[in-house]
Amino acid sequence: MQLEIEDQGGHRRFRLSGRWTVEEAAALESRLHEVAKGAGGQVVIDADAIEAIDLTGAWLLRATERRLQDADSRVEWAGQRPVQLEFLDRIEADSEKATLAQADSPTGLRRILQALGLRTVLAKENALDFVGFVGAVSVGYSRLFGGAKRLRLTSVVRHVYETGLTAVPIVALIAFLISVIVAYIGAQQLRKFGGEIFVVDLVTVSVLRELGVLLTAIIVAGRSGSAFAAEIGAMKLNDEVDALRAIGMDPIEVLVLPRIFGLVIALPALTVLADAMGLAGGALLSWYLVDIPLGQYVERVQGAIGETTFWVGIIKAPVFAVLIALVGTLRGMQVRDSSRELGRLTTTAVVQSIFLVILADAVFAVIFLELDI
């Protein structure tokens, strides 16, 4: 470490050279303290000859700069100011902002308005992120039309298996039990009016139009939506997504599109399974409570099913699948920094995908009502 002081026409020039590191900290501190005492007027600091500087040396140099400024010295840098000092300036500025924000935290109505404004800004940013992500996915799909070889069929088949085949037991069980509950409640209420036979119509229409696809979508959102966010989020934490970009591969094409394709194929198939299990559950309870034999039950089901009853539920399934896959993959791609953020965004993916599924179902209900379907 070397520190040379030159007097040049009314100002002093500090020439710094050598190594400004933690090993030299003791000698640096005493020397700089003495120099700062006798300084005044204009001071020019020349740090171009410094061989190495770490945060300890930068901290001491920055403290000396502050002492000179406090002593009414005009401090200038002959060359570029070391970047380590800029880093320390940013840390101090962030710390001061946090302190001021904590000290000036509003209360009462101001606090409520501030929280509302913050949530509004976050909602806007989330909406823009979602729109941008949809645009990136749309561009990825447009590339597939230019060359079918870009579609990763092996990955699509794997996701069909993971999101569809492995979900068969839980979807079948839930659909069966829910239809049993609907049939039981319906039979208890219709018995008061002597209309027990209409429990078949109730189960058929509710399962095929709404419950089958909606319950399946909610189950898939909890299973596959969270899995998409967790898998891609873990890859983000391990820098695997950046590695894909580094070798010239598009993460949207590799990670997102196969998951959307797989879920669009799996969810309608699971919906058909849920419809079948729902009708089976209704048949069991109708026979047990209302003494409707299986043959009569099947005839009543055929009479209750209209031309569009089955297709109304099936049409919703691909839309729900796209929403679930988009939200899950988007939240996975947004993971940064820590496993805590991974857990938060995984939970967010499940909640938001279920919300969007129910919202889309409500929109479908209004559309079908207007179309008299």
Side-chain angles (χ1 to χ4, degrees), residues 140-157:
Y141 275 118
S142 66
R143 292 174 184 166
L144 297 181
F145 292 109
K149 293 182 180 179
R150 302 177 71 97
L151 178 61
R152 303 174 180 275
L153 289 177
T154 303
S155 182
V156 172
V157 172

Side-chain angles (χ1 to χ4, degrees), residues 266-281:
L267 190 56
L270 290 174
T271 300
V272 174
L273 173 66
D275 291 344
M277 293 303 298
L279 294 179

Side-chain angles (χ1 to χ4, degrees), residues 354-369:
I354 292 176
F355 169 76
L356 288 178
V357 163
I358 296 176
L359 179 62
D361 189 63
V363 173
F364 272 117
V366 174
I367 293 174
F368 291 148
L369 178 63

Side-chain angles (χ1 to χ4, degrees), residues 75-120:
V75 179
E76 296 180 0
W77 291 85
Q80 183 179 4
R81 191 168 182 255
V83 294
Q84 290 86 350
L85 273 68
E86 303 291 341
F87 174 70
L88 294 175
D89 289 340
R90 289 197 301 270
I91 291 178
E92 184 178 18
D94 293 340
S95 177
E96 290 178 355
K97 288 180 181 179
T99 302
L100 290 174
Q102 185 175 5
D104 298 335
S105 58
T107 57
L109 181 60
R110 283 189 60 194
R111 183 175 183 178
I112 296 174
L113 294 176
Q114 185 185 57
L116 179 61
L118 178 60
R119 290 183 178 274
T120 303

Side-chain angles (χ1 to χ4, degrees), residues 232-263:
I232 298 178
M235 295 180 69
K236 289 280 289 184
L237 291 179
N238 295 330
D239 296 328
E240 296 176 49
V241 176
D242 293 334
L244 288 175
R245 293 192 178 99
I247 61 177
M249 303 181 72
D250 184 8
I252 298 294
E253 183 178 320
V254 176
L255 301 177
V256 177
L257 298 187
R259 286 173 166 80
I260 296 177
F261 264 123
L263 198 58

Side-chain angles (χ1 to χ4, degrees), residues 94-288:
D94 293 340
S95 177
E96 290 178 355
K97 288 180 181 179
T99 302
L100 290 174
Q102 185 175 5
D104 298 335
S105 58
T107 57
L109 181 60
R110 283 189 60 194
R111 183 175 183 178
I112 296 174
L113 294 176
Q114 185 185 57
L116 179 61
L118 178 60
R119 290 183 178 274
T120 303
V121 172
L122 291 177
K124 182 203 73 172
E125 293 177 352
N126 286 332
L128 291 177
D129 289 343
F130 186 76
V131 172
F133 188 72
V134 171
V137 171
S138 301
V139 172
Y141 275 118
S142 66
R143 292 174 184 166
L144 297 181
F145 292 109
K149 293 182 180 179
R150 302 177 71 97
L151 178 61
R152 303 174 180 275
L153 289 177
T154 303
S155 182
V156 172
V157 172
R158 180 175 72 87
H159 289 300
V160 170
Y161 171 78
E162 291 180 351
T163 62
L165 192 59
T166 58
V168 166
I170 185 63
V171 169
L173 179 62
I174 294 297
F176 182 86
L177 294 178
I178 290 297
S179 65
V180 167
I181 294 171
V182 171
Y184 176 78
I185 296 175
Q188 293 294 329
Q189 297 301 316
L190 291 172
R191 181 172 293 166
K192 300 177 182 179
F193 309 99
E196 295 94 333
I197 189 64
F198 292 107
V199 71
V200 181
D201 302 64
L202 175 64
V203 171
T204 301
V205 174
S206 62
V207 168
L208 295 184
R209 288 183 65 101
E210 293 292 337
L211 292 181
V213 63
L214 187 59
L215 288 173
T216 303
I218 291 174
I219 294 170
V220 169
R223 291 183 76 257
S224 303
S226 60
F228 290 171
E231 290 171 0
I232 298 178
M235 295 180 69
K236 289 280 289 184
L237 291 179
N238 295 330
D239 296 328
E240 296 176 49
V241 176
D242 293 334
L244 288 175
R245 293 192 178 99
I247 61 177
M249 303 181 72
D250 184 8
I252 298 294
E253 183 178 320
V254 176
L255 301 177
V256 177
L257 298 187
R259 286 173 166 80
I260 296 177
F261 264 123
L263 198 58
V264 167
I265 295 172
L267 190 56
L270 290 174
T271 300
V272 174
L273 173 66
D275 291 344
M277 293 303 298
L279 294 179
L284 177 63
L285 203 74
S286 297
W287 168 76
Y288 180 75

